[in-house]
Structures are given as structure tokens and as C-alpha cells.
Amino acid sequence: MKIELSDRLKSLPPYLFVEIDRAKKKARSQGRDIIDLGVGDPDIPTPKYIIDALHRSSLKAENHRYALDEGLHALKEEIAKWYKTRFGVRLDAKDEILPLIGSKEGIAHIPLAFVNVGDIVLVPEPCYPPYKSGTILAGGIPHVMPLKAENGFLPDLKVIQQDVLKKSKLLFINYPNNPTGATCEPDFFDDVIRIASRNNIIVCHDAAYTELSFDGYKAPSFLERNGAKDVGIEFHSFSKTFNMTGWRLGFACGNASILQGLAKVKSNMDSGVFTAIQWAGVEALKFVDKTLAGFRTIYEERRDILVEGLNKSGWKIDKPKATFYVWAPTLKGHTSVSFTNLFLDKADIVVTPGNGFGAAGEGYIRMALTVDKNRLKEAVERIKKVI
Ligand SMILES: *Cc1c(COP(=O)(O)O)cnc(C)c1O
């Protein structure tokens, strides 16, 4: 029998990271000592108090059954409490918070709730791939908003054509930003709210990195701004905040009607997050400040080792105020891919080519601060020799 993929699946952009993974595995199998700055997956383990909470909850039979579709109330209450103290944002735990099986799940599913075939979704580029793939799988058309260095890696909303805005159903933004490490001022959100409410566009702010910030910088929530809750929702994740990428726990919060749409998609596709994991999330949030202080110090030190080390060799890389990514322009006329290959072939270092996040990322590479400081020092020495 001939097995043929659907047109939807065929029309997804190629997943460049698969190639890099293959090259990395090959190099490792040859016994080379590879330093992997490619993946955005924390090397630091989940804190023990969270693992202990999972263990305790996992022993209770009541947690072994299907979870409620709408999520564990205790978790939603704890999230509401945290949003109030952290951002000054009031959320109704009952209908303004929706737990997710990792925020990627909600991000990829939300177009199914609001996008009809041929509708436009505004996506930044370079970007986290699910904004585009979720759009395409729902039959929508991604319209790229390029993020350029000269605009501080913010999209230029003024240049989006009226007819594009008229056909747009959703708009994705993400600050602090993956892959550029850029942050935004709160008044950028006001511009987004204005354009969204004028054109009936639902705003999806991906806030996965608000808690990973340095030098005393505190990232704002989209929902802090006047009118935000009328037009949008925010996606949050336990993955990066608590080093829990494998656990699959995130949430969306904000506009209740938008969340209802997402919940309706989900109720047809999944049956919620394992309740014991949601209880571990409750415990995680209770000690968020103490937990984060330690992680921030670690990433800040790593960032300084890498960026200051490489800048000594004449490279001009900006220090990110948030996220664990360093977004660096390529040198000597290299493309993203040729620079990435140079690092792997000559320095045994894996980085991610910027164009893997969309064509607008060409001319950059991304390095993730997810190896310890001694390995980073070694990486700096190796890189200096080949650039
Ligand atoms: C890592 C990441 C997420 C989080 O994904 P989870 O599914 O919650 O693990 C979301 N958005 C961006 C931009 C990310 O880099």
C-alpha cells in the first residue's frame, strides 16, 4: 500500500533541527567530545521539593484517574495567587486559567479554535516553530512579522498592510524572546492591544521566559496592560522556570472566551494533565522566588562567560537581559548554516543556525546556555581558534 502524508503535513516547513541532530549524533559516534549549545533544554535537574511533591501525589489513588478537562482547581488558585503577586494581574481561577500539557500543546492547538481555512495568523520571525506549524495544520496562513536588530527585535506593527490585518485572526508575540533573547517594554504591548482591538485579532503572548531574567530586570506580563484581557491570552510554562521540560506542564490565562475555545479543542483531543503533576506544580509555585534566585545566578554567570569571552576576540554579541539564549551575528560572510557547520566540524560545538527559526533568522546563530560553566569556558577557547 502506498502511504501518503496529508497535504497539511507536507506543507509544514522542513524541520532543520533534525539535520543538526543527525550531524551531532554522527560526531558523537566518532568519539568526538561535542559541546552541545544547540538545544534549549535546561541541564539543571528539577528541584527536589517538586519531585518529592510528585512522589507524594502519585501515591494517591484519586490522582490515578482521568484529570478534569478544566484542570485542577488548586493549581489554578495557586497560579492566580502568583499572577497577583508577580505581575499585579487579577485572574479568576475558575475561567481565566487553563492548565496545558506543556505550553507548546496550547500554542499548537489554539489556531484550531479560531482560524478558518485561508485566514491569516501574524507570526514573528525568527520564532518558536509551533506558531507557524499550528497555523498551517489548522489551514491558516502564517504572515511573517520580521524581527530586526534595528528595531530591538520587536515587530514593526505599522508596516502590516490593512488587507492583511483584516484577514488576521491571531497574532503571536513572545517576550522575553526565543531565539533572540530580546525583551520588550510594557508600552509595546499597548501598541499590540490597539491594533488587535481595532482589527478583531486575538493576541497570544508566549511568556515562557518571563522568570529567566538577569541584572535585576523583571519582564512584564502582557496581561498587566489595560485592555489586554479583552483581546488576548498569555501562555506560560513550568518548563523553563523550574527545569521541568520533560514533565509537560504549562497553562494559558487571560480572556475567558478565548480560553473556552482552546478548552473545547483540547476536550476533543486530550484528557488533561496527570493530576499528580498538577499537584507538583502547586508546590513548585509556592517557592518560586527562592527556586529562581539560584537558577538566575547560574545562567547569568554562564552568559557572562560566553558573551564576554567571545567579545574579547572582536565578535560583537549583545548580552541578553533574559532567556538562556545568546543570539549572535555570523562572521566573515558566513550564512547561518555555514557558520554552524564550521563550529561543528572545526570546534566540535553544536549551535543552532538562525534560519532554523525562519528565513528572517538568517545571518545569526543561537547558542543555549545549557551546559555548565567549565564547558562554556572550554567552548569559548575552541570557538576563538576557529573564527
Ligand atoms: C520552551 C518554550 C516553550 C515551552 O514549551 P513547553 O511546551 O511548555 O515545554 C514555549 N515557548 C517558547 C518560545 C519556548 O522556547
Side-chain angles (χ1 to χ4, degrees):
M1 192 180 81
K2 190 172 172 228
I3 309 287
E4 190 164 351
L5 294 176
S6 67
D7 293 342
R8 290 211 157 105
L9 220 46
K10 279 193 239 164
S11 64
L12 290 180
Y15 209 61
L16 202 68
F17 306 127
V18 178
E19 279 304 311
I20 299 162
D21 214 46
R22 198 170 301 138
K24 179 171 74 184
K25 286 203 180 107
K26 186 165 163 234
R28 281 217 166 112
S29 74
Q30 293 164 345
R32 288 157 58 191
D33 174 28
I34 300 292
I35 301 178
D36 188 357
L37 310 180
V39 283
D41 191 352
D43 58 312
I44 309 165
T46 306
K48 182 163 182 304
Y49 78 92
I50 302 174
I51 299 171
D52 289 344
L54 171 68
H55 183 230
R56 286 194 306 274
S57 313
S58 70
L59 294 173
K60 294 186 184 157
E62 73 216 47
N63 294 336
H64 299 168
R65 315 189 67 184
Y66 283 123
L68 294 173
D69 281 340
E70 76 254 26
L72 181 71
H73 194 70
L75 175 62
K76 303 207 285 184
E77 291 271 311
E78 200 62 41
I79 291 168
K81 218 189 283 174
W82 179 60
Y83 252 68
K84 182 74 187 58
T85 47
R86 168 66 177 86
F87 300 111
V89 170
R90 263 180 212 289
L91 294 171
D92 182 344
K94 197 165 105 330
D95 56 6
E96 293 182 331
I97 297 171
L98 177 67
L100 300 170
I101 312 171
S103 61
K104 182 181 191 178
E105 179 261 301
I107 289 167
H109 277 150
I110 196 157
L112 286 174
F114 301 105
V115 174
N116 289 315
V117 172
D119 285 344
I120 288 177
V121 174
L122 299 168
V123 296
E125 196 186 278
C127 75
Y128 183 54
Y131 308 153
K132 275 189 205 160
S133 52
T135 297
I136 293 168
L137 290 174
I141 301 166
H143 178 89
V144 165
M145 305 182 289
L147 306 183
K148 295 180 182 157
E150 65 256 37
N151 299 326
F153 298 108
L154 299 178
D156 186 354
L157 302 171
K158 293 186 302 294
V159 304
I160 307 170
Q161 309 257 334
Q162 249 335 290
D163 59 324
V164 170
L165 290 173
K166 283 279 160 284
K167 284 191 228 150
S168 297
K169 286 284 173 67
L170 296 181
L171 181 156
F172 282 101
I173 43 173
N174 164 223
Y175 293 97
N177 184 261
N178 173 15
T180 67
T183 55
C184 74
E185 295 299 321
D187 61 355
F188 165 71
F189 290 142
D190 297 337
D191 297 339
V192 171
I193 292 164
R194 210 170 302 120
I195 204 166
S197 84
R198 259 188 220 148
N199 297 283
N200 242 346
I201 302 171
I202 291 170
V203 177
C204 298
H205 180 234
D206 180 353
Y209 295 95
T210 56
E211 304 317 297
L212 286 188
S213 61
F214 318 117
D215 311 327
Y217 170 74
K218 282 203 126 185
S221 160
F222 173 70
L223 298 174
E224 282 173 41
R225 310 307 291 174
N226 276 335
K229 225 194 256 178
D230 292 331
V231 300
I233 59 171
E234 187 152 80
F235 287 96
H236 239 291
S237 174
F238 284 71
S239 290
K240 313 299 163 51
T241 306
F242 298 102
N243 302 328
M244 290 171 69
T245 48
W247 294 55
R248 311 317 298 134
L249 183 61
F251 61 93
C253 56
N255 186 289
S257 307
I258 301 173
L259 293 180
Q260 255 174 33
L262 178 56
K264 190 166 176 184
V265 174
K266 281 174 58 58
S267 68
N268 284 286
M269 299 247 192
D270 66 60
S271 302
V273 181
F274 180 26
T275 306
I277 289 183
Q278 297 192 64
W279 278 112
V282 173
E283 202 65 13
L285 279 177
K286 281 188 185 155
F287 303 98
V288 59
D289 291 335
K290 197 163 157 258
T291 310
L292 278 165
F295 295 157
R296 286 191 184 119
T297 312
I298 292 172
Y299 287 126
E300 196 170 310
E301 187 184 14
R302 290 179 181 180
R303 175 199 65 172
D304 291 347
I305 287 168
L306 186 70
V307 176
E308 287 169 16
L310 293 176
N311 279 348
K312 270 188 205 128
S313 67
W315 204 346
K316 287 202 178 63
I317 304 173
D318 289 333
K319 265 192 193 177
K321 273 197 290 189
T323 78
F324 45 54
Y325 302 114
V326 171
W327 185 243
T330 61
L331 298 173
K332 297 182 184 151
H334 273 288
T335 63
S336 295
V337 168
S338 71
F339 211 44
T340 300
N341 289 339
L342 173 77
F343 277 49
L344 182 58
D345 297 343
K346 298 281 176 352
D348 289 344
I349 289 174
V350 174
V351 300
T352 309
N355 63 328
F357 304 96
E362 181 52 68
Y364 288 87
I365 57 163
R366 190 192 75 176
M367 293 175 273
L369 301 168
T370 46
V371 302
D372 73 30
K373 61 181 183 182
N374 291 325
R375 291 294 273 173
L376 277 177
K377 283 179 190 163
E378 164 79 19
V380 168
E381 290 316 308
R382 291 193 201 170
I383 294 170
K384 275 183 178 166
K385 286 188 195 128
V386 302
I387 59 173

